[in-house]
Amino acid sequence: MLYTHATIITVDASRRIVEDGAIRVQNDSIADIGKTDRLRSQYPADEEYSLDGRIVIPGLISTHMHTAQTLLRGAADDLELVSWLCERIWVLQGNFTADDGYAAARLSIGEMLKSGTTCFLESMFADRYGFDGLCQAVEESGIRGCLGKIVMDIARYAQDDAWAMHPGLVENRETSLLGALSMWEKWNGQANDRIRVWFGARTPGGVSDALYREMTALSRANNIPITMHCAEVQADRDFFASVGHSPMSYCDAVGLLSPSTVLAHMVHLDDTDIATLSASGTHVAHCPTSNAKLAPGICRVPDLLTAGVNVGLGTDGAPCNNTCDLLQEMKLAGIIHKSIAYDPTAVPAESVLEMATINGAKALGLADRIGSLEIGKKADFVAIDVRKIHSQPWFNPVSAIVYTATGRNVDVVVVDGQMVVRDGQLLTMNEQEIVEEAKIRSRQVVIRAGLQDTIKPRWPVE
């Protein structure tokens, strides 16, 4: 198949942009890329699909999100963090069933595909959500998923016993760590290697030192990557101080720092933490909307980039973002640091697009396969429609993507060589069926949690 007449942002080593460009796809890979005239003359027998008026980018990569939480979109808005977590989110999630987990995964994946995300890192999927269902949703949809199964053995947050988890979410070593190993043996590499299984460790304070060390040893022995929330709130830094550490010295002590680890949020770091992080090759998932909405602070992304830390981008979960649209996340990532630094050059559009593509691929250990459009890499790409009034005019295609486009501009999505979205519509999933089931199941979860009189509009409803 030849995809022709597009403006192609390759994000390759030279960062070249091809006007009136074409991509040749054979099976699941990119066989050629260049000017449309050359590819059409070189492969005259190939079927052609015109992308005139579209900007093509590598498939977007979300390095931090919670698929289960999409079922809870809007259920915990405008709350301070302790109430948000302990009185809403944990209570709701503690009442999930495996069928709810599958429905939530399909809802998340459908939204991600329609808004241009072709690969995602699930950060912490609980046993009760049904990990098999998550893998099945990835397999059926055509998306690429790195799936972190929760690892934990302490049922609180940080050092505060008042921040106790809902009983329905509590897991032990056998259920979490050994369960993750079992799922890795069953699912890792399935769906033409679109599924990778990770350890999704709970935040320090939720995992004993011994279990962290056991997990990191298993990670090294079996090449199982790790993702974990870290230094998101001040309470995290207080926990590290209570055990005689900074965030990164603690992570180093239990074996978490590694090129196979992605740490999410990373807001409360000092200069020494950043230097340690850089030297270790550990990756960071930046979630600006979540950090801004829950208000724990904003990650020092310009300092991390200057120090050579690889930073990817994530939407986090729907209760602290309300969308899985990584294009919207890109805009905020490009803007928020300018405001904080009083510097409009702090994080330019080009850096943001790198965060959402090639940096994400590096973080997931997949940079040899995805993250840029190059011959031999997987055919994962997105065509953004920029023909309409809200997208015109544009002069730099990168800024048009980062500052103007949203998921509603996505026209075509290809993953592993397969077209999964065409004309903005899902091809591998029944959107209406997904929506109707999500509406029913979300309300059932709220009722089981006993929050039906709490989760409602603040203003009177007639």
Side-chain angles (χ1 to χ4, degrees), residues 379-435:
D380 288 16
F381 58 86
V382 178
I384 309 291
D385 192 337
V386 289
R387 295 174 294 180
K388 296 181 180 173
I389 192 168
H390 61 276
S391 300
Q392 289 291 334
W394 57 267
F395 302 95
N396 175 355
V398 177
S399 65
I401 295 298
V402 172
Y403 295 131
T404 305
T406 71
R408 292 174 178 83
N409 289 89
V410 170
D411 180 53
V412 170
V413 178
V414 174
V415 186
D416 224 30
Q418 178 186 12
M419 191 185 293
V420 294
V421 173
R422 183 176 60 215
D423 299 326
Q425 302 301 311
L426 292 169
L427 300 181
T428 57
M429 310 175 78
N430 185 323
E431 181 173 354
Q432 192 57 41
E433 177 185 286
I434 291 169
V435 168

Side-chain angles (χ1 to χ4, degrees), residues 55-116:
I55 298 172
V56 170
I57 60 173
L60 299 176
I61 300 167
S62 181
T63 53
H64 185 70
M65 75 94 57
H66 298 259
T67 49
Q69 289 185 357
T70 308
L71 208 62
L72 309 178
R73 193 194 320 266
D77 289 337
D78 305 325
L79 297 175
E80 58 85 26
L81 186 59
V82 179
S83 299
W84 179 87
L85 185 64
C86 299
E87 297 174 11
R88 291 283 181 94
I89 300 307
W90 276 350
V91 177
L92 291 163
Q93 292 179 158
N95 281 278
F96 264 53
T97 66
D99 287 339
D100 297 329
Y102 176 64
R106 295 178 74 211
L107 183 67
S108 300
I109 291 167
E111 182 182 357
M112 284 190 285
L113 286 175
K114 287 194 69 174
S115 54

Side-chain angles (χ1 to χ4, degrees), residues 1-10 16 18 20-26 29-36 38-40 43 46-49 51 55-59 372-383 414 417:
M1 169 76 82
L2 284 181
Y3 293 88
T4 59
H5 297 300
T7 297
I8 302 173
I9 306 173
T10 64
R16 66 178 175 139
V18 184
D20 194 15
I23 299 173
R24 187 185 192 218
V25 174
Q26 280 190 310
S29 300
I30 296 173
D32 204 350
I33 185 168
K35 290 287 191 179
T36 292
R38 178 180 70 79
L39 267 67
R40 290 180 75 189
Y43 311 105
D46 281 16
E47 182 182 356
E48 184 175 331
Y49 191 99
L51 293 175
I55 298 172
V56 170
I57 60 173
S372 62
L373 302 178
E374 303 179 63
I375 294 172
K377 282 197 171 185
K378 296 290 187 178
D380 288 16
F381 58 86
V382 178
V414 174

